[in-house]
Amino acid sequence: MNTWRAPLLLVLLTAALAGGLLALFVEWEREKVATRLARQAQLITYRQAMELEDRLSHVIKDLRFIANLFDRRERLSATELQRIQEMLLGFSAQQQFYDQIRYIDDQGEERFRINLSGEQALFIPEAQLQNKRHRYYFRDSIDLPHGSIYISPFDLNIEQHAIELPFKPMIRFATPVVDRDEKNNGIVILNYLGKRLIDRLPKPDPEFPGQTILINANGDYLTAFEADKAWGFMFPDRKQQQFRTEYPAVWKVVRKQQLGQENTPEGDIFTFGKVTIASHHASDSCGNCYLYIINRLTGQQLRQLADKTLHITPWTIAITYAIFLTITLVIHWRLRTSQRSGETTRRLIRNVAHERDLFADGPAVLFRWRNEFGWPVEHVSNNLKAVLGYEKTTFLNGTLGFASIVLPDDLPRITEELSTALRGNLDNFFRAPYRIIDAEGRQRWVRDAIRVVKNNAGEVVELYAYLMDIDAVKKAEEELEHSRAYIQHLLDTIPDPTLVIDSNTHHIASANQAAYRTYLPQGLQPNEAICCYQLAHKRDRPCSGRDEPCPIDAITHSKKATNIVHKHYDARGLPFYVEIHASPLFDDQGRVIQILESHRDITKHIRNQEALQQQAFTDGLTGIANRTAFERLLEQETKKLRENGGSLGLIMFDLDHFKKINDRHGHQSGDRTLIEVVSVIQRQIRGYDLFSRWGGEEFMVLLPRSGLDETSKAAEHLRRAIEQHHFDAIPQRVTISLGVTSWMPGDTIKTLVSRADQALYRSKQQGRNRSTVSDTPPVSINRLDK
């Protein structure tokens, strides 16, 4: 009976070892996928936080802009309110972010309000304005220092003491305005539509399985992994549905770091970033000035993606074990049959022994030791002397235990690895490489695969170790690592950011410290899986097109070095310009496999060029666009009209009797008058209207999306504004004459400008200080030109 049990045990152990190796490989691959996704989550969360901060910073800028319209003024006249109304109606309709734009005076009275209804901006009549003296946002912001920003909690809008349905998430931004004596005279307040912020939260790559949510500084859900938990803090029966109560350990880490990552015992990975709404703009006691973006990768998602990557399904594992089981059953059947014949049994034993000896003569040594102090050896394969130089009897008689030949520096580590595996109830596992001392006293790098043997009580009694000599491989790795360290040292001596990039995947193979300091924020570690466009451009796609040519694509085709100027983004997400010098690196077959890029910061040079270009297109006296710039802009606008249709108004005006002003008061006063005229006109036109000096005392105003009637009203508004303005430069009244027209079918730039010029000429002929409208079809002007 015992004659067939030993070989059968060997077969079973071999099958179990194969299964263990397969399980270890699957686990290793899962760890690899988890590491890659964790690093990808860091990049995605950082990008989301930066874009969210950027959007919110624009709200602060808009608030400052609107506050300037009401700042340091006494009670606003009807004319001033009308001018501000026209400007902010266009602003509100264009932005589509603000549910309300309001100016509330120091008594809490609404003096000005614009509501957004759908996509239409509506000015609220004075009779419908209300007193807001008792509302919390007025009380909390009216006494703030001038220039401070008040930020309300990010919550759901409440109407008539009930939450408005459908939900309308809202953040209120307010800032005080002062009178000419620097005393608080009221507040300007913007009701920012939070849904627009949430809906425009940057989405991660569709292939990325993680889910992103937004929470406030108190750990409450604004959006949630489970949709019904969002805004729970607004409802009495859901107040405990908070991120901080569901994930207290993660929340503890989130509160302490600007950007970070935390793993949970369940295998989930949480990546988080702090979003500052208004840093130095806000009041000192701002409790609502930041939010948190949280990204979660669940352990189940990680396992599913790893299994998908491996293409290993339960059926694959089942088939593998079925094959081993079939082989085992066949051998078992053959051994049972062989018992009927002694000769057959002996022949089979000899065959098995021969196969065992073939295994024993290989490069790996098989040890079996007891799970006791010093790991006393009970069995060792015959190739022990050939591989390590020891006699078998040295171990079998107890002179040496297996622990005796392990390098003392490595023994505590591999002992702990063994203890950890046994505590985890593992039957098969690998230990990390370690060093042993061979019979000649030399250190040798080895690695072993362990198989655990237990008794009927489940106690570990023996361990099998399949010991592999990896000394040559380890030394080669050390030499390679030394070479890599040397190359990295050379890279780090280069002051400019320098990258080595895989030409196929765009992954960064290596980078110097200057690159990481330039592009990575503090707290985000270098990542071997990161792509160059993710690092430098903070996005998830490569450069392309004429405006952003990819140097990698260019070099792959030409196999020659190239220089390209790109706009990159630094660790804070701020843009700067670099000159990229990129060179190809070839393999033995002459194929481009990597690109060496060096990035030189040329932002100052580019800014100087832009400044020179700005000077070329700016009027030196008034600071507005000159004739050259206006002609280019007019060409762009008329091209849009031909392609897409629409409307376009044009106003041409000049100062009446300007020569007399120069003659009577001097050219210096004349120049100051022109500057004042420009200042008055700029306060009257819309933000997207185009204003330029045509030459001398002649000016042009281009009004996109404006028909003839609207342009005519705007011209009359400009004329009255100049007529009513008290000029500091000269004591006399200043007036202007205007010619008004709009784009018509068949128009060209020449016919449009000519029509406005003729209308201006008629205003002069008819007594000046007036506007004249010309709607003559372009065909008539063309005939005059001929």
Side-chain angles (χ1 to χ4, degrees):
M1 204 57 185
N2 292 333
T3 55
W4 55 270
R5 286 184 178 175
L8 177 59
L9 178 61
L10 182 60
V11 171
L12 291 174
L13 286 174
T14 304
L17 181 60
L21 292 175
L22 178 62
L24 286 172
F25 176 73
V26 171
E27 189 61 29
W28 175 77
E29 186 64 25
R30 283 177 175 167
E31 286 292 326
K32 182 179 176 183
V33 170
T35 301
R36 176 175 60 82
L37 288 176
R39 289 166 176 164
Q40 188 177 357
Q42 283 183 310
L43 266 179
I44 289 171
T45 304
Y46 170 63
R47 178 171 60 85
Q48 290 174 325
M50 293 299 296
E51 291 191 28
L52 211 57
E53 278 196 4
D54 183 63
R55 287 190 182 135
L56 290 168
S57 69
H58 283 290
V59 180
I60 304 298
K61 294 177 182 177
D62 290 343
L63 183 66
R64 296 283 192 203
F65 165 74
I66 296 171
N68 284 337
L69 301 176
F70 298 93
D71 223 1
R72 292 180 174 85
R73 298 185 180 214
E74 300 300 335
R75 301 293 180 182
L76 292 169
S77 66
T79 302
E80 289 174 318
L81 280 175
Q82 182 181 3
R83 177 179 61 81
I84 296 173
Q85 169 191 334
E86 292 173 354
M87 180 185 301
L88 293 186
L89 277 173
F91 172 84
S92 177
Q94 184 181 33
Q95 293 290 343
Q96 293 288 309
F97 290 142
Y98 303 117
D99 185 58
Q100 291 183 346
I101 301 174
R102 289 179 289 174
Y103 166 60
I104 303 175
D105 68 19
D106 56 351
Q107 299 303 310
E109 296 288 347
E110 286 184 331
R111 295 293 312 283
F112 178 94
R113 172 151 53 100
I114 290 177
N115 286 2
L116 189 65
S117 177
E119 296 185 357
Q120 184 178 7
L122 302 175
F123 183 76
I124 305 303
E126 183 176 356
Q128 299 179 26
L129 299 180
Q130 304 173 14
N131 187 287
K132 301 295 182 180
R133 180 173 53 192
H134 300 296
R135 295 304 301 271
Y136 70 92
Y137 50 81
F138 177 80
R139 295 196 308 268
D140 292 345
S141 57
I142 187 62
D143 293 324
L144 290 177
H146 184 245
S148 296
I149 303 294
Y150 165 79
I151 301 171
S152 75
F154 192 3
D155 56 17
L156 300 178
N157 195 47
I158 295 178
E159 290 290 342
Q160 304 300 324
H161 306 290
I163 294 174
E164 185 177 355
L165 296 175
F167 289 166
K168 184 186 281 187
M170 193 77 66
I171 314 178
R172 293 176 175 85
F173 295 78
T175 188
V177 295
V178 297
D179 58 21
R180 292 178 181 175
D181 296 325
E182 298 295 321
K183 295 180 180 179
N184 282 13
N185 198 31
I187 64 169
V188 169
I189 183 167
L190 300 181
N191 287 17
Y192 183 77
L193 289 168
K195 188 175 187 301
R196 304 290 170 88
L197 182 71
I198 293 172
D199 289 346
R200 298 188 181 191
L201 187 68
K203 300 297 188 296
D205 189 311
E207 297 296 323
F208 182 74
Q211 186 180 359
T212 299
I213 65 168
L214 200 62
I215 66 175
N216 63 19
N218 195 43
D220 300 310
Y221 287 117
L222 306 182
T223 62
F225 302 122
E226 299 170 30
D228 60 346
K229 294 183 179 179
W231 307 106
F233 67 98
M234 297 290 296
F235 302 87
D237 60 335
R238 290 165 49 193
K239 283 185 177 293
Q240 294 306 313
Q241 294 181 350
Q242 300 170 299
F243 181 89
R244 68 176 184 179
T245 57
E246 291 196 55
Y247 306 100
V250 179
W251 173 244
K252 185 176 181 181
V253 178
V254 168
R255 294 184 64 188
K256 294 180 179 179
Q257 299 182 24
Q258 186 81 14
L259 183 73
Q261 200 164 67
E262 183 71 3
N263 297 350
T264 68
E266 294 77 20
D268 297 347
I269 300 176
F270 286 85
T271 308
F272 54 88
K274 186 176 181 180
V275 178
T276 302
I277 300 177
S279 54
H280 59 280
H281 300 291
S283 62
D284 294 337
S285 59
C286 179
N288 308 299
C289 292
Y290 55 90
L291 308 170
Y292 291 103
I293 284 183
I294 309 288
N295 183 285
R296 183 184 70 174
L297 284 162
T298 67
Q300 183 180 4
Q301 289 173 327
L302 295 171
R303 289 189 294 272
Q304 288 175 347
L305 194 59
D307 291 345
K308 181 180 177 182
T309 305
L310 284 165
H311 301 292
I312 290 179
T313 65
W315 283 109
T316 306
I317 298 173
I319 291 171
T320 302
Y321 279 100
I323 291 172
F324 277 110
L325 182 60
T326 301
I327 293 173
T328 302
L329 291 175
V330 169
I331 295 175
H332 178 67
W333 174 78
R334 288 186 62 189
L335 291 175
R336 289 294 301 271
T337 304
S338 69
Q339 290 180 5
R340 300 171 185 174
S341 170
E343 183 60 31
T344 304
T345 301
R346 287 190 295 273
R347 185 168 57 249
L348 182 59
I349 291 173
R350 288 196 299 270
N351 290 340
V352 172
H354 177 65
E355 292 175 0
R356 182 201 64 199
D357 291 340
L358 288 177
F359 168 79
D361 290 335
V365 181
L366 180 65
F367 281 90
R368 185 179 80 239
W369 65 70
R370 295 193 304 277
N371 186 27
E372 299 173 7
F373 179 78
W375 300 335
V377 175
E378 294 187 332
H379 173 76
V380 64
S381 57
N382 293 331
N383 61 344
L384 174 65
K385 185 174 179 61
V387 177
L388 299 179
Y390 290 105
E391 297 290 345
K392 290 178 61 174
T393 55
T394 307
F395 288 94
L396 299 180
N397 64 16
T399 303
L400 291 177
F402 186 80
S404 304
I405 65 171
V406 178
L407 191 72
D409 290 345
D410 294 348
L411 184 58
R413 174 173 58 82
I414 68 168
T415 301
E416 179 58 30
E417 288 182 24
L418 179 61
S419 299
T420 301
L422 296 182
R423 286 196 300 269
N425 203 29
L426 296 180
D427 293 330
N428 303 279
F429 56 92
F430 278 110
R431 288 195 294 196
Y434 59 93
R435 291 163 293 180
I436 64 169
I437 307 297
D438 66 12
E440 297 182 5
R442 295 175 301 183
Q443 293 183 13
R444 305 279 290 275
W445 279 98
V446 296
R447 190 178 188 187
D448 55 20
I450 304 294
R451 167 66 182 170
V452 178
V453 180
K454 299 178 182 178
N455 59 19
N456 293 334
E459 298 171 335
V460 177
V461 292
E462 291 181 336
L463 299 109
Y464 283 84
Y466 186 65
L467 191 73
M468 292 159 280
D469 185 348
I470 60 169
D471 195 61
V473 174
K474 193 67 178 177
K475 288 179 178 176
E477 288 180 354
E478 290 175 350
E479 291 179 3
L480 180 60
E481 186 61 32
H482 178 74
S483 298
R484 287 177 178 170
Y486 178 70
I487 293 173
Q488 185 65 50
H489 176 71
L490 290 179
L491 286 177
D492 288 338
T493 61
I494 301 174
D496 293 328
T498 304
L499 314 172
V500 179
I501 304 168
D502 187 294
S503 60
N504 293 318
T505 65
H506 293 204
H507 284 157
I508 297 174
S510 184
N512 65 354
Q513 290 303 311
Y516 291 129
R517 284 196 302 269
T518 300
Y519 294 114
L520 285 180
Q522 187 176 3
L524 189 63
Q525 297 301 314
N527 181 347
E528 69 271 10
I530 197 173
C531 295
C532 56
Y533 48 82
Q534 294 170 322
L535 182 74
H537 293 276
K538 304 298 187 287
R539 64 185 181 196
D540 290 326
R541 60 178 178 82
C543 307
S544 62
R546 184 182 63 183
D547 295 333
E548 287 186 317
C550 179
I552 297 177
D553 293 341
I555 292 178
T556 302
H557 289 94
S558 69
K559 297 186 177 182
K560 296 179 180 178
T562 185
N563 287 339
I564 293 177
V565 174
H566 266 198
K567 182 167 75 171
H568 286 177
Y569 293 86
D570 65 16
R572 297 170 296 170
L574 301 177
F576 70 107
Y577 291 91
V578 298
E579 181 183 39
I580 301 175
H581 178 73
S583 302
L585 302 176
F586 302 96
D587 62 9
D588 294 338
Q589 286 74 41
R591 294 172 300 192
V592 178
I593 56 171
Q594 292 181 326
I595 307 294
L596 178 64
E597 282 190 1
S598 181
H599 301 172
R600 185 168 65 91
D601 188 345
I602 58 169
T603 305
K604 186 175 181 180
H605 175 68
I606 294 294
R607 298 299 185 212
N608 289 338
Q609 286 186 329
E610 290 175 348
L612 291 174
Q613 189 175 18
Q614 180 70 17
Q615 291 176 9
F617 294 103
T618 302
D619 178 57
L621 175 65
T622 62
I624 62 175
N626 60 18
R627 180 167 182 164
T628 302
F630 184 79
E631 288 175 341
R632 290 196 178 189
L633 293 170
L634 182 57
E635 185 178 350
Q636 294 173 8
E637 290 296 325
T638 54
K639 182 180 179 181
K640 292 178 186 176
L641 287 176
R642 295 189 192 97
E643 294 174 350
N644 307 315
S647 56
L648 180 69
L650 179 64
I651 300 172
M652 186 176 188
F653 73 87
D654 71 1
L655 276 66
D656 296 330
H657 303 297
F658 184 67
K659 185 176 184 301
K660 292 181 179 180
I661 293 175
N662 280 332
D663 292 344
R664 182 178 302 173
H665 303 287
H667 287 280
Q668 186 174 2
S669 294
D671 288 345
R672 289 169 56 198
T673 301
L674 289 177
I675 293 171
E676 276 197 71
V677 167
V678 168
S679 178
V680 173
I681 297 297
Q682 283 180 318
R683 292 198 296 269
Q684 312 305 316
I685 62 177
R686 301 168 300 185
Y688 52 84
D689 293 333
L690 308 175
F691 183 30
S692 81
R693 185 180 182 186
W694 189 248
E697 70 271 22
E698 287 187 331
F699 296 87
M700 290 283 198
V701 182
L702 195 65
L703 295 85
R705 304 193 294 278
S706 297
L708 191 60
D709 289 343
E710 189 176 358
T711 306
S712 176
K713 292 177 182 178
E716 202 43 36
H717 180 71
L718 298 181
R719 186 193 66 78
R720 288 196 302 269
I722 296 296
E723 183 182 38
Q724 297 170 5
H725 181 73
H726 173 72
F727 281 80
D728 296 331
I730 56 175
Q732 69 187 64
R733 188 180 70 159
V734 176
T735 60
I736 58 174
S737 298
L738 308 93
V740 182
T741 190
S742 66
W743 182 266
M744 298 179 182
D747 249 332
T748 63
I749 293 177
K750 182 178 180 181
T751 58
L752 180 69
V753 173
S754 177
R755 201 160 55 244
D757 185 46
Q758 291 179 17
L760 172 59
Y761 180 72
R762 290 199 294 273
S763 292
K764 293 285 190 181
Q765 284 185 321
Q766 294 171 11
R768 294 182 170 82
N769 191 22
R770 67 182 62 241
S771 60
T772 302
V773 177
S774 175
D775 56 359
T776 307
V779 64
S780 301
I781 297 176
N782 288 338
R783 288 173 182 166
L784 287 174
D785 291 340
K786 293 178 182 178

